[in-house]
Amino acid sequence: MGNILVVEDEPAIAAAVAARLESEGHLVTVCHDGAEAVERCRELEPDLVVLDLLLPSLDGLEVCRRIQAERRVPVVMLTARDDETDMLIGFAVGADDYLTKPFSPRELVARVGAVLRRVADGPPHASEPDHRLGAIEIWRASRRIRVGDHDVHLTPTEFDLLAQLAAAAPTVLTREQLLVAVWGYRDGSGARTVDSHVRAVRRKLGDGVIRTVHGVGYGIGDI
Ligand code: CA
C-alpha cells in the first residue's frame, strides 16, 4: 500500500486508474495537469507517481525531470503509443516502468505493486558499504550510493540494477537474468528496458562502472 499521485488529463482513464488503485488499498490523489503535478508532488511527497506523457502545461517528461530533481520518487509512465515508450526508454528519463495505452487496470496495479515492493525502505545504513566499485560505495539496506564524499541519487530501479550486478561480480548477468532479478519479469520481454537503465546509471556514475559484454550481457569489474 502506498500514497500514489496519478497524473492523467483524460478524466475517464484517471478515474479508472484511481478506482483500481484505491481498491487495492492505496491512497490516491489525482491531478490533470503537469505544472499542478509538480506542485502536488512537493506537497504530498507520494510513494509513487503514475504519470501520463501527454499533459497540459508541462509534458510528462518535464514533470518527471522536475520531481526527480527534488526528491527520489518512483514513476510509472503512461504513453499513448509504443513508439513513445521506445523514445522514453531511449532517453533514459528515469521512470521505473512504462505502460502503453490501452493497458488493463490489473496490469497497472501489478506494475505499481512491483515498483513499491522494490523500493520498500530497509534499515538505516551500516558504516561499512556492502560493495566498493572503485570510488563508488553501495549500501544495500539503506539504498545509498556515495562517490567520494557525495551521495548520488539513483532511481530505485537503477539502484537495484547496479546492486544486482555488484553482488554478482565478477559474474556477467544476461539481460534476461536482470529482468527476472530486478523487474520480476519472467517472460523474457523488456531487454531494451535493461539497456535504458544501464545508460542512466552510466550517465550518473560514469561509463566505466557497468561493462557491456557483447553477446552476453552486463557485468562489473575486470571481466
Ligand atoms: Ca494525456
Side-chain angles (χ1 to χ4, degrees):
M1 280 184 287
N3 183 0
I4 299 177
L5 178 64
V6 173
V7 189
E8 165 61 76
D9 58 316
E10 292 166 63
I13 296 178
V17 164
R20 187 60 191 244
L21 289 169
E22 281 168 348
S23 78
E24 298 290 319
H26 299 297
L27 187 64
V28 180
T29 304
V30 175
C31 71
H32 305 284
D33 167 283
E36 187 195 344
V38 175
E39 281 300 312
R40 299 294 279 159
C41 215
R42 202 170 284 151
E43 296 162 16
L44 295 168
E45 302 199 337
D47 300 308
L48 183 142
V49 179
V50 176
L51 181 58
D52 188 32
L53 177 62
L54 294 179
L55 293 167
S57 79
L58 282 181
D59 69 17
L61 215 57
E62 185 59 26
V63 172
C64 188
R65 277 196 201 101
R66 292 193 189 184
I67 64 179
Q68 299 273 3
E70 292 183 11
R71 179 176 156 266
R72 194 181 69 183
V73 58
V75 173
V76 174
M77 191 82 90
L78 308 179
T79 70
R81 301 191 313 267
D82 283 333
D83 60 342
E84 289 175 353
T85 300
D86 292 346
M87 182 269 290
L88 293 177
I89 290 172
F91 281 170
V93 293
D96 287 274
D97 210 343
Y98 304 90
L99 270 178
T100 305
K101 295 174 185 173
F103 52 84
S104 74
R106 197 177 63 166
E107 187 175 13
L108 176 74
V109 163
R111 300 284 188 94
V112 164
V115 172
L116 286 174
R117 277 193 298 281
R118 292 206 303 269
V119 303
D121 273 344
H125 80 92
S127 53
E128 277 301 299
D130 296 294
H131 306 286
R132 280 203 174 87
L133 315 170
I136 301 167
E137 295 175 314
I138 302 171
W139 288 265
R140 295 176 74 95
S142 56
R143 310 180 69 84
R144 182 178 185 208
I145 294 188
R146 285 173 72 81
V147 179
D149 58 0
H150 61 278
D151 282 10
V152 175
H153 294 287
L154 300 188
T155 69
T157 304
E158 291 162 4
F159 181 92
D160 288 341
L161 174 66
L162 183 65
Q164 285 291 338
L165 287 168
T171 303
V172 174
L173 296 181
T174 65
R175 291 175 176 80
E176 290 72 24
Q177 287 172 321
L178 287 165
L179 282 167
V180 172
V182 177
W183 283 265
Y185 297 170
R186 296 184 184 276
D187 61 0
S189 68
R192 285 170 312 136
T193 302
V194 178
D195 297 342
S196 162
H197 284 84
V198 167
R199 275 199 296 277
V201 172
R202 284 175 174 158
R203 208 168 50 203
K204 292 176 181 176
L205 294 176
D207 283 342
V209 60
I210 298 177
R211 292 187 47 172
T212 302
V213 181
H214 290 289
V216 185
Y218 294 106
I220 278 176
D222 296 325
I223 297 153

